[in-house]
Amino acid sequence: MTMTKLNNVFKVPFTNAEMKRVADLVIHNTKADIFHKSKQQKYVEARALFNYLIRVEFGQTLFRIRDYYLSKGKKSHHATILHSIKSFKEIAFKNPQYVDIIDAIKVQEVSPRQINNLIADVCKIKNKKQLESTREFLKNVLQE
């Protein structure tokens, strides 16, 4: 099986529970509820951070993000989500603490891209030595 086929077969969309974990981390770190119906700057920036993380860092679709907002009772059009993602670079430039928040959240969450890479590496295992090496690597990663 080629890597392209693997990526298509194992594109893993986040479950609502995984989206909730990221949302909770964003809310905790920004002290702003992303589901609050307000256009105040702190809420807009917190939503932009969430949208950026889910779309860019964790590779989810705009419609998946929109659906998650809807499941939490907040309407958000996919074009609004896209605009917030595009404007996040400027927001992060003005508020560098967002970069630290991104790093903290990325350490705590596993992205679909990382899962795809792991699956590709596992498919390459051909002997017990490679298997043992992969097992040790995973043990070390999970202990961090």
Side-chain angles (χ1 to χ4, degrees):
M1 199 175 239
T2 66
M3 188 61 189
T4 330
K5 286 183 183 176
L6 271 177
N7 282 337
N8 290 333
V9 172
F10 293 108
K11 280 196 176 167
V12 184
F14 267 18
T15 63
N16 273 359
E18 291 166 319
M19 298 273 270
K20 182 183 183 320
R21 274 199 314 267
V22 175
D24 289 345
L25 288 167
V26 168
I27 291 167
H28 174 75
N29 284 293
T30 61
K31 311 289 187 259
D33 183 358
I34 62 174
F35 305 111
H36 182 68
K37 295 178 182 176
S38 173
K39 292 183 182 180
Q40 288 181 357
Q41 185 174 357
K42 73 177 190 175
Y43 298 108
V44 171
E45 289 178 356
R47 282 192 289 270
L49 171 62
F50 175 76
N51 296 339
Y52 174 83
L53 278 166
I54 296 297
R55 175 74 175 151
V56 176
E57 298 297 335
F58 299 120
Q60 301 302 300
T61 66
L62 297 173
F63 292 101
R64 178 74 187 98
I65 298 168
R66 181 207 61 192
D67 291 346
Y68 181 69
Y69 278 121
L70 286 173
S71 76
K72 296 296 184 181
K74 171 134 181 59
K75 290 183 181 178
S76 190
H77 194 273
H78 74 279
T80 304
I81 295 166
L82 180 61
H83 174 72
S84 75
I85 292 166
K86 287 180 178 180
S87 65
F88 183 72
K89 186 184 270 187
E90 184 179 319
I91 292 168
F93 183 75
K94 290 178 184 176
N95 303 302
Q97 78 268 14
Y98 287 124
V99 176
D100 296 332
I101 294 171
I102 290 170
D103 290 340
I105 292 173
K106 280 172 49 179
V107 166
Q108 296 172 15
E109 290 296 318
V110 179
S111 74
R113 185 180 317 139
Q114 290 169 317
I115 292 170
N116 285 342
N117 291 341
L118 178 61
I119 290 168
D121 289 345
V122 169
C123 288
K124 293 176 186 175
I125 294 174
K126 294 192 179 2
N127 57 45
K128 285 186 179 183
K129 184 178 179 183
Q130 289 174 331
L131 180 61
E132 192 58 38
S133 171
T134 302
R135 182 184 299 167
E136 286 302 314
F137 171 75
L138 287 173
K139 235 193 268 186
N140 291 335
V141 168
L142 293 174
Q143 288 175 355
E144 289 179 351

